[in-house]
Amino acid sequence: MADVSSYRDQHFKGSRSELDKLLHLSTTMYIGNLAFYTTEGQIYELFSKCGDIKRIVMGLDKFKKTPCGFCFIEYYIREDAENCMRFVNGTRLDDRIIRTDWDAGFLEGRQYGRGKTGGQVRDEYRTDYDIGRGGYGKNAQPKVDMIIFGRNKDALPME
Amino acid sequence: MSRRRVHDSYEDVYGADRGYKKRRRGGSESNDLEDRLESLVLKVGENTTSTIESNLEGLASVLDGDIQNFKKKVLKLLVECAVNMPEKCTIYSTLVGLLNAKNYNFGGEFVENIVRSFKDSLKNNSWNEARVVLRFIGDLVNCHVVSASSFVQLMGSLLDVTKEDGVPNVRKDWYCYAVMSCLPWVGRELYEKRESPLEMLLTTIEVYLNKRPKKHVNMLRIWSTDVPHPQEEYLECLWNQIKKLKHDSWTETIIPRPYLTFDNVLCEALQHNLPPIVPPPHHNACVYPMPWVVYRMFDYTDVTDGHIMPGAHSIERFLVEEHLQQIIDMSCKNRKECATNLMNFVHKNKVPLEYCIVEVIFSLMFHQPKPKYLEVMFGSVFIELSKLSTNTMPLVLAQTTEILYSRIESMHVCAFDRFVSWFAYHLSNFKFSWSWQEWADCLALDPEHPKPKFVREVLQKAMRLSFYERMRDIVPPDFEPLLPEKPEPKFKYAIEKSTLPGQFLSNTLLTKIRNKTTPEDIIEILKEPLMSENGEIMEPADIGISNPTKVDAFVQTLLFIASKSFSHAFAAITKFISVFKALGETDDGQLQILRSTFELWSADQQMLTVLIDKMLKTQIIECSSVANWIFSKDMIPEFTKLYIWEILSLTINKMSRHVDRLTRELNEAREKLRTTAAISNSSDDSDTETEKAEVKPRQLTTTTFGGQGVPMDVDDNVTEEMVERMEEKLEMAQADQKNLFLIVFQRFIMILSEHLVKCDTDDRPFDTYWYKYTVGRLQQVFLAHHEQVQKYSSTLEGLLFTQDLDIHILEVFHQFLALRS
């Protein structure tokens, strides 16, 4: 369960085999499908159950510089990261099933979303309505802007 | 064997099947045949379309035919199966029995090999392995491979260890346990063939169990009371189960015995005698398993699913629990597999499966001193089990939570922590949905009572996994007093014009820091005497940088500016680390840093914990300061909150890990020095230059306290001087560690003694919630860090835990000593 997945970062500067080697030695995790409002504190709380965290880098919208639903977690030792894959991947944070995967290592610039509008690429194209990730995907935006941020339960969208 | 044994790193790099296929690609026919045989052997008994017996019969014929060509391989494979698949013990013993019946010499060679494996396990201190191998040998008696008389003799010589003098009790305990745990398998056969030698063995066991000391039990038990379930020490429990088994004529209903079907074939076989086996003598490097108390949570009255829970003293209970634990051990790295295998437990129709699983997992989770696996492993397995058993598991878990809550007053604080942690985590995966109102009784209790404390701490942990406002939503309104504080900073210098002594300084620092001033500049400002708003110098004019007001103004102001998130706070600490270090040069300075941080962040326990962790890592403060601060008068109202224990724990752990790392590095360096010395000695006759050049420069790491090893490129070989420096570093660290433990234990003794004396003079009962909690934490320091504390026991005995101490406090120390005696 601590295996490398099939995802490979297309922006990685280096050969495929270099990437694979780094992934197999890495102590950095990519965490995906977070809600935009999930905080560093929540991430610390859950992921420190696998071991000491060296640092967390929140994924940010390139323009707004606000969290856009992913982050990197660096552990000190590989075993802790493996346990993260085994026991946290596929469980819930903020009621959402989150995904963890190996990452080749954080580099400056990789904390920004690569989507055209600043967030993650997947939020450009998805067609579902996800209240935790700004509502509709960017391409599927209805004319009236209905994006809801934050958790105030009174700010529910109109059905 | 790579298919069955989880070689995890191998799996990660190549995928589980790749190694297997790699061999196949080798291509020769005999390789193929070998692989096929291996596969057949590994999977025997798993084929559900035919019976185990026919499986075995077929396999025995195949192997017998190929034995001449693959004898060594088959022998090795069978021994590995016996060692690594204890849950299939009777299947493989039957297979060996059938092979022995066909080929006496093969049987003899197998016995030799399995005996060698047993001896090796003993020598290597692989205790669990040794125990399952011994049991396998016992089962070979059932299969007419080994003679009953020689096995009884072996059991006798193993039990002789219980008569040894001057050895640790845990050694004698293990040998006794190993012999006892064979009896469910081979008891019947020995009773039939060798009744009086068996009786003698049982008597030896009984005599040993009666006279062995059981002082350690109180430290290891999870429940302080035996109501409703007696909490028995593991040897006692097994002995009671064995006695009942004997009473039932050695018959039990769990162990599958395929050899019975083949009795007519097997009884024709000639048996082998075991060679004499002498238990290796004890020496100082031997480490034996620690004792444990059997965790009991359920009995048949709790079970509502129509099955009968085997009684606490029935051997079935022992067998089921052991088997479930073996399943967990096998699939501990894959939670989905683990859950599936547990739900497919072969005896699921005989027992209330979910209840058994839940009790076993909680017993592992609560195990003292430390659970075998990460708590989150158990938590995630429960989630998977809830997906597989959607109708039953969630209900059993809810029932379990209710039971634990109802008995929480007698739960040890170590288990309390883990229960809190698990429950909050579990709720976070199920929308925090819970019938809190059923626990409304806790609202009327003393706030220090474990019940309201439990709810409070669960809500605190749940909040950390979600957010503050959500907690208000999930509990009924009358639970408000138990809700955590809203986690936000409390900045005392928020009012610019206040008359606080540090206000003017804070205002100055606020502006400067927001304008991106340098740390050097800040230090200069801090050297100036404190001023009030109108520019007057406050008397006495203090140019010392560690003036408490100055420290307070700086720490609170900076951390307030950086209060937005952990990352902001860490960045601020990193940027101004030189200031922090200057302020923390004295012990008082460090204490003030902690106090100020607490004042600002008392409402956010998580932030406080994380900041203190960072300050330790960056060596702004020392471990001893944290310990002193926790036990200070200011912190008395916080003392019984769980986060305080978390902080103390992380502090002690950091120190221990530091010492361990330095020890490891020193040993590596010493080894390197030894080998290079050997090389240069041996190259005296040859060209020394070339020799030295050929020895590759080695990468040594030097440790920072923060936890990383910083690679240090070594151009030359390790020198004596380097090793000496490392030795000094280690000595200093060990002195710090000793000092830390002394502080912690001394403080515990002080507060407990004070309490006992006060209760005595006021004529009040001393057994308050605070007292029970605090004694529990003292026990926990011993237990959680027992390996490290061991090193300093004589100092502790001489300096702190002296005879004049109150017996209740001294008792804890004696329990700790009893753990390894």
Side-chain angles (χ1 to χ4, degrees), chain B residues 378-523:
Chain B
F378 302 120
S380 63
V381 168
F382 274 136
I383 293 173
E384 296 301 324
L385 286 167
S386 302
K387 289 187 206 164
L388 291 177
S389 165
T390 46
N391 289 327
T392 316
M393 186 55 84
L395 294 177
V396 175
L397 283 175
Q399 188 185 353
T400 304
T401 307
E402 287 292 350
I403 289 178
L404 291 176
Y405 173 80
S406 69
R407 296 179 196 164
I408 204 161
E409 236 186 296
S410 62
M411 190 190 274
H412 195 287
V413 71
C414 305
F416 181 92
D417 288 346
R418 299 176 206 170
F419 179 34
V420 166
S421 208
W422 169 74
F423 188 53
Y425 165 83
H426 190 77
L427 287 179
S428 76
N429 272 273
F430 294 100
K431 302 200 175 132
F432 293 105
S433 160
W434 181 250
S435 48
W436 299 95
Q437 198 53 49
E438 314 229 343
W439 288 350
D441 65 324
C442 75
L443 296 166
L445 297 171
D446 181 325
E448 281 299 306
H449 187 287
K451 277 187 182 176
K453 197 188 191 76
F454 175 71
V455 175
R456 259 201 323 271
E457 296 290 353
V458 165
L459 292 174
Q460 172 72 227
K461 278 253 168 349
M463 175 178 75
R464 292 203 206 177
L465 286 169
S466 63
F467 56 100
Y468 173 72
E469 287 79 9
R470 185 117 189 242
M471 296 299 103
R472 303 198 85 91
D473 291 344
I474 65 172
V475 296
D478 49 350
F479 272 70
E480 194 181 315
L482 298 179
L483 283 173
E485 246 187 292
K486 186 163 183 181
E488 39 190 20
K490 293 180 185 162
F491 186 45
K492 82 201 251 192
Y493 299 112
I495 301 171
E496 217 185 300
K497 301 236 185 255
S498 91
T499 52
L500 294 168
Q503 186 65 52
F504 182 68
L505 177 57
S506 169
N507 298 343
T508 313
L509 291 171
L510 196 69
T511 321
K512 286 273 179 180
I513 292 171
R514 283 200 168 130
N515 288 331
K516 315 269 194 238
T517 187
T518 63
E520 291 71 38
D521 196 23
I522 299 287
I523 292 183

Side-chain angles (χ1 to χ4, degrees), chain A:
Chain A
M1 263 193 123
D3 289 351
V4 164
S5 77
S6 52
Y7 172 86
R8 292 294 179 278
D9 182 5
Q10 298 304 322
H11 290 223
F12 177 75
K13 303 252 183 335
S15 72
R16 180 61 171 260
S17 64
E18 272 163 29
L19 176 55
D20 277 353
K21 184 169 171 207
L22 285 173
L23 291 177
H24 287 108
L25 296 171
S26 172
T27 58
T28 304
M29 310 299 312
Y30 163 87
I31 317 296
N33 201 35
L34 296 173
F36 288 4
Y37 46 75
T38 299
T39 63
E40 228 182 336
Q42 287 171 273
I43 295 169
Y44 250 98
E45 182 69 14
L46 178 58
F47 286 90
S48 53
K49 291 179 191 288
C50 298
D52 252 359
I53 293 177
K54 191 163 147 194
R55 76 169 158 165
I56 295 178
V57 180
M58 296 297 282
L60 303 174
D61 182 297
K62 189 160 52 186
F63 308 120
K64 298 186 198 131
K65 305 290 201 270
T66 54
C68 67
F70 74 98
C71 74
F72 296 103
I73 295 183
E74 289 175 19
Y75 287 99
Y76 287 103
I77 63 182
R78 171 96 183 169
E79 174 88 14
D80 294 348
E82 286 175 356
N83 285 331
C84 172
M85 285 296 290
R86 291 175 190 135
F87 308 127
V88 181
N89 188 21
T91 63
R92 289 182 193 268
L93 185 59
D94 266 336
D95 303 311
R96 309 170 62 88
I97 303 263
I98 56 172
R99 193 173 72 85
T100 71
D101 198 358
W102 295 103
D103 188 82
F106 175 72
L107 292 170
E108 181 55 38
R110 293 190 69 229
Q111 70 268 43
Y112 296 114
R114 295 170 181 164
K116 222 170 34 169
T117 55
Q120 288 197 278
V121 172
R122 54 188 289 243
D123 290 311
E124 300 289 323
Y125 301 111
R126 63 180 173 77
T127 52
D128 62 324
Y129 184 81
D130 187 344
I131 191 171
R133 289 179 76 97
Y136 288 107
K138 296 295 163 52
N139 278 349
Q141 254 337 313
K143 278 241 153 99
V144 177
D145 199 326
M146 299 276 281
I147 295 177
I148 306 295
F149 270 83
R151 312 187 160 93
N152 190 343
K153 63 174 178 170
D154 297 329
L156 287 171
M158 297 186 304
E159 289 293 312

Side-chain angles (χ1 to χ4, degrees), chain B residues 317-334:
Chain B
R317 191 76 173 261
F318 171 80
L319 294 170
V320 165
E321 282 169 357
E322 198 187 49
H323 195 158
L324 290 173
Q325 283 191 30
Q326 282 164 351
I327 292 176
I328 294 172
D329 286 342
M330 250 171 34
S331 16
C332 60
K333 297 199 176 172
N334 186 325

Side-chain angles (χ1 to χ4, degrees), chain B residues 528-594:
Chain B
E528 290 165 15
L530 278 171
M531 286 196 275
S532 66
E533 202 205 319
N534 48 24
E536 265 173 51
I537 288 182
M538 295 181 152
E539 294 301 325
D542 187 354
I543 56 165
I545 193 172
S546 288
N547 172 299
T549 312
K550 292 183 189 178
V551 176
D552 188 54
F554 169 72
V555 172
Q556 287 216 33
T557 309
L558 178 70
L559 292 180
F560 173 69
I561 294 173
S563 60
K564 189 151 182 239
S565 76
F566 294 177
S567 289
H568 289 86
F570 293 164
I573 291 177
T574 305
K575 178 163 184 201
F576 289 94
I577 193 159
S578 53
V579 184
F580 276 104
K581 292 223 169 169
L583 296 175
E585 254 173 44
T586 61
D587 283 348
D588 283 339
Q590 290 185 16
L591 220 53
Q592 185 56 51
I593 291 175
L594 286 166

